[in-house]
Amino acid sequence: MKHFTCVRDIPNLPAALALAKEVKKTPFAWDALGKNKTMLLVFFNSSLRTRLSTQRAAMNLGMNTIVLDIQQGAWKLETERGVVMDGDKPEHILEAIPVMACYADIIGVRSFARFESRTYDYNETILQQFIQLSGKPVVSMEAATRHPLQSFADVITIEEYKKTARPKVVLSWAPHPNALPQAVPNSFAEWCNAMNYNFVMTHPEGYELDAQFVGNAHVEYNQAKAFEGADFIYAKNWSAYAGDNYGKILSRDKAWTVDTAKMQLTNNAYFMHCLPVRRNMIVSDEVIESPQSLVIPEAANRVVSAQTVLKMILESC
Ligand code: CP
């Protein structure tokens, strides 16, 4: 595996899940694999979990890590070619990426959707520039359309907790004060489809995701109906994808907040969220603090997903 940007980059998903199990059991078994190798983590956007878990994963493999926050301490980057650079951005990404590549063996990139243009975002312009201009393996640490390290950790968690071979997994939209990207729900849907779960998505009308991510999911607009018999509830907010509404908030309806009454409709489902989460917008205090909440094991598995991916990349370098 050269780059990791989506589930399709993993050559064999069942084998990767088996490897993740080994990595979790014996995290230091490959601590010589990354000796004298450096991972550079480039953040265009904020992070807690991805920043810490990816560094921890690289360190478990014996790698050195460097973290660059583009918004704090680095030169502001121009990303459009052809611009007369007489504004506040002194460096162009077309030079910055090859320079960063001089200092790294693997590059992790976090670059969210900007919501200026759906085409720009859905072409993954920034991530693709890193792949094309760095000549180094690139790992998405959440890009405009996907968050594969998170989804891999989510699937590892579901596999650990599931009680049936093919659990019912429900991705539920929930309200949020800000317009959020579709990366987490897109990616979660893509991985649930790859796992062939009984996968249901529920959201208000107007929040349909790009059909390439919905795949075989059943879309149910009635949240209560979607929750019936669910084994896992994965809550997440996202902004609209379709047409002129791209990146817009169409609803802040708190009737969609996941609370105890809704969880009682399920098959004693586990509650999942990628974090950070807005309590009492996305989920009630009671549900996130309940024994069925998996938000902390899910976050812990971010080290496992990142280490599994980095191990596979290091072995094919
Ligand atoms: N879930 C996740 O990616 O968290 P951070 O944004 O804090 O990295």
Side-chain angles (χ1 to χ4, degrees):
M1 186 166 71
K2 173 95 197 252
H3 306 292
F4 180 66
T5 65
C6 70
V7 68
R8 288 188 303 280
D9 290 328
I10 293 194
N12 181 332
L13 188 50
L17 284 163
L19 175 60
K21 239 179 176 173
E22 287 305 301
V23 164
K24 187 158 182 169
K25 229 188 294 170
T26 56
F28 304 113
W30 302 274
D31 60 358
L33 189 61
K35 189 172 163 23
N36 297 331
K37 303 261 186 197
T38 297
M39 177 161 191
L40 169 64
L41 295 88
V42 182
F43 289 93
F44 287 82
N45 311 97
S46 303
S47 166
L48 187 155
R49 279 144 291 274
T50 306
R51 173 188 302 269
L52 299 181
S53 62
T54 312
Q55 284 187 83
R56 175 64 198 257
M59 290 189 290
N60 284 355
L61 292 165
M63 300 188 81
N64 301 309
T65 60
I66 307 173
V67 180
L68 179 68
D69 284 293
I70 295 291
Q71 315 295 357
Q72 288 170 17
W75 301 111
K76 267 193 175 175
L77 288 183
E78 177 55 63
T79 55
E80 298 301 315
R81 191 171 174 278
V83 168
V84 177
M85 289 172 60
D86 59 357
D88 65 341
K89 295 172 182 164
E91 177 140 31
H92 205 290
I93 198 164
L94 295 175
E95 286 82 54
I97 292 174
V99 169
M100 291 184 219
C102 297
Y103 312 138
D105 299 290
I106 299 178
I107 304 179
V109 182
R110 165 162 286 200
S111 176
F112 290 173
R114 298 176 172 191
F115 294 143
E116 289 160 12
S117 149
R118 191 171 82 171
T119 306
Y120 184 92
D121 290 341
Y122 272 67
N123 282 343
E124 289 290 9
T125 310
I126 299 287
L127 187 67
Q128 287 306 323
Q129 282 178 320
F130 271 88
I131 289 172
Q132 284 154 20
L133 299 173
S134 72
K136 297 288 164 67
V138 172
V139 175
S140 167
M141 300 194 301
E142 186 173 346
T145 65
R146 293 176 176 90
H147 193 356
L149 287 175
Q150 179 66 52
S151 307
F152 190 12
D154 295 336
V155 164
I156 291 167
T157 310
I158 291 171
E159 290 299 296
E160 285 173 347
Y161 284 85
K162 74 179 186 185
K163 296 186 181 98
T164 56
R166 190 167 180 261
K168 178 174 177 180
V169 179
V170 177
L171 169 62
S172 179
W173 181 92
H176 194 282
N178 304 323
L180 298 189
Q182 297 99 32
V184 169
N186 281 346
S187 198
F188 185 71
E190 195 166 58
W191 285 68
C192 284
N193 279 313
M195 292 298 291
N196 193 30
Y197 293 144
N198 175 4
F199 180 49
V200 176
M201 296 174 56
T202 185
H203 53 72
E205 289 196 31
Y207 278 96
E208 292 78 14
L209 294 174
D210 186 346
Q212 67 168 307
F213 298 106
V214 177
N216 298 324
H218 171 64
V219 178
E220 170 56 67
Y221 293 103
N222 181 329
Q223 190 192 33
K225 206 168 160 205
F227 274 40
E228 283 171 12
D231 299 301
F232 294 87
I233 299 295
Y234 195 102
K236 186 71 184 82
N237 173 269
W238 63 90
S239 60
Y241 166 76
D244 292 343
N245 284 330
Y246 178 65
K248 290 193 181 145
I249 297 173
L250 307 180
S251 170
R252 288 192 178 90
D253 186 357
K254 287 187 68 192
W256 282 79
T257 301
V258 177
D259 60 15
T260 303
K262 283 185 198 143
M263 291 301 282
Q264 280 168 354
L265 300 170
T266 69
N267 181 28
N268 195 26
Y270 289 108
F271 174 80
M272 299 179 73
H273 188 281
C274 62
L275 302 181
V277 70
R278 299 264 183 160
R279 281 177 175 230
N280 304 308
M281 288 291 295
I282 301 279
V283 58
S284 69
D285 289 323
E286 291 73 24
V287 170
I288 197 168
E289 291 170 6
S290 75
Q292 294 306 95
S293 172
L294 296 182
V295 296
I296 305 304
E298 218 180 324
N301 278 336
R302 290 292 307 274
V303 177
V304 181
S305 65
Q307 193 174 335
T308 304
V309 165
L310 292 178
K311 179 180 180 296
M312 289 193 284
I313 291 174
L314 284 168
E315 282 172 344
S316 46
C317 276

